[in-house]
Amino acid sequence: MKGLDSYALKARYYPALLATIPALVALAIVISRAKFSLTTGIASLAIPVLVFAAADIARRVGKRLEEKIYAESGGKPSVTMMRYSDGTLDAASKEGYRAFYASKINQPIPAEEAEKANVKADDAFYERGGAWLRENTRGKKFGVLLAENITYGYRRNLLGLKWPALLTNAALISLCGYFLYKKGELNTDDETTIALLIVVALAVVHSLFMAFSVSKQSVIEASRQYARQLILSCETFIGTQAAPAKPSKPRKTKAK
């Protein structure tokens, strides 16, 4: 855990844990009720491996979903918000941000007429400017931006695990339902019955959460919030450049 940064922990592993909770609980119950053996030892080791695998799947599927969402919504928010035709940010501020981009990436500022002719004509300029900002806004100084990025990554990756989680829950409910139906034949004790009912209840509640709370719209909202904060981070650099240098204090000389 010490080797994980804040983003990796909250945006990748938290969604993986949340998406696999019913399966982890079921596995933990099986391990706790079985006598210790090589099989239970392997099952115990499988828990962190399962979470790691889920985090990796979430990131890969989330990135594919990201590209699909951008294509459906007209482009990356950090790019579309900088277009002349977008009204998210005021025109005067965007003019200053474009000038700042131009000074950092050594490209001329796009012309409004070119955008009117082809709305995506100058997106490469905004893409390069956004890339410069992402590379130069890492660190504690940009804590608000990091928080927005984590929220976006968390929602995107959780959306990537939505259907795998729902399918896993369906399998757990079916399996537990089978054991509860056959409990007489299997001589299932009361504790095992209660454990199975807990897994079923958790899987049902978890499925409702994944079905109704995890959505594409929530990812779009988070992506726009992050993009807006990323663009506004220009103010920090512009303010630093505009701040006058403090006059140096005269050195005191010792009297001879």
Side-chain angles (χ1 to χ4, degrees):
M1 297 296 287
K2 290 180 180 179
L4 297 176
D5 61 24
S6 181
Y7 180 88
L9 181 63
K10 297 176 182 178
R12 295 176 186 171
Y13 286 91
Y14 281 7
L17 282 169
L18 183 57
T20 57
I21 277 179
L24 295 176
V25 169
L27 187 58
I29 289 173
V30 170
I31 294 171
S32 67
R33 296 189 60 77
K35 293 181 179 180
F36 183 79
S37 63
L38 179 61
T39 303
T40 55
I42 294 173
S44 299
L45 292 174
I47 291 178
V49 174
L50 176 64
V51 175
F52 180 84
D56 182 60
I57 292 171
R59 184 177 182 277
R60 287 188 283 115
V61 177
K63 292 296 288 185
R64 287 199 293 269
L65 284 172
E66 179 181 77
E67 294 175 2
K68 184 178 179 182
I69 289 172
Y70 289 165
E72 292 175 354
S73 58
K76 187 182 294 186
S78 60
V79 171
T80 60
M81 285 183 184
M82 285 296 293
R83 292 173 182 165
Y84 290 95
S85 57
D86 191 279
T88 305
L89 301 168
D90 64 276
S93 295
K94 286 196 292 186
E95 186 177 350
Y97 301 152
R98 290 190 192 98
F100 176 75
Y101 280 8
S103 69
K104 295 301 179 184
I105 64 175
N106 297 318
Q107 277 188 232
I109 298 174
E112 186 174 1
E113 292 75 18
E115 183 182 302
K116 288 179 179 178
N118 181 3
V119 72
K120 295 184 178 181
D122 297 304
D123 283 357
F125 175 86
Y126 302 130
E127 179 62 46
R128 288 190 64 192
W132 187 94
L133 282 176
R134 281 187 289 273
E135 288 300 319
N136 290 274
T137 52
R138 304 179 189 275
K140 295 180 180 179
K141 186 178 181 179
F142 298 93
V144 176
L145 178 62
L146 175 61
E148 294 292 355
N149 191 21
I150 288 172
T151 299
Y152 168 63
Y154 167 84
R155 292 186 185 181
R156 182 199 68 189
N157 293 341
L158 189 59
L159 181 63
L161 290 175
K162 180 175 181 175
W163 284 107
L166 290 173
L167 291 173
T168 301
N169 288 343
L172 281 173
I173 292 170
S174 300
L175 189 60
C176 291
Y178 172 80
F179 283 121
L180 288 169
Y181 178 74
K182 294 288 187 177
K183 68 177 183 178
E185 299 177 20
L186 299 172
N187 297 320
T188 305
D189 57 29
D190 291 339
E191 289 186 5
T192 302
T193 300
I194 293 172
L196 290 172
L197 289 172
I198 290 173
V199 172
V200 170
L202 181 59
V204 169
V205 172
H206 186 262
S207 295
L208 292 173
F209 168 78
M210 294 296 294
F212 297 104
S213 296
V214 181
S215 66
K216 186 186 296 184
Q217 186 57 40
S218 68
V219 176
I220 293 173
E221 290 172 1
S223 70
R224 290 187 63 81
Q225 282 293 111
Y226 167 65
R228 182 177 181 276
Q229 192 62 43
L230 178 67
I231 295 170
L232 290 178
S233 65
C234 289
E235 296 285 356
T236 302
F237 296 102
I238 294 171
T240 302
Q241 291 175 354
K246 294 182 179 180
S248 57
K249 295 180 180 179
R251 294 182 181 180
K252 295 181 180 180
T253 56
K254 294 182 181 180
K256 294 182 180 180

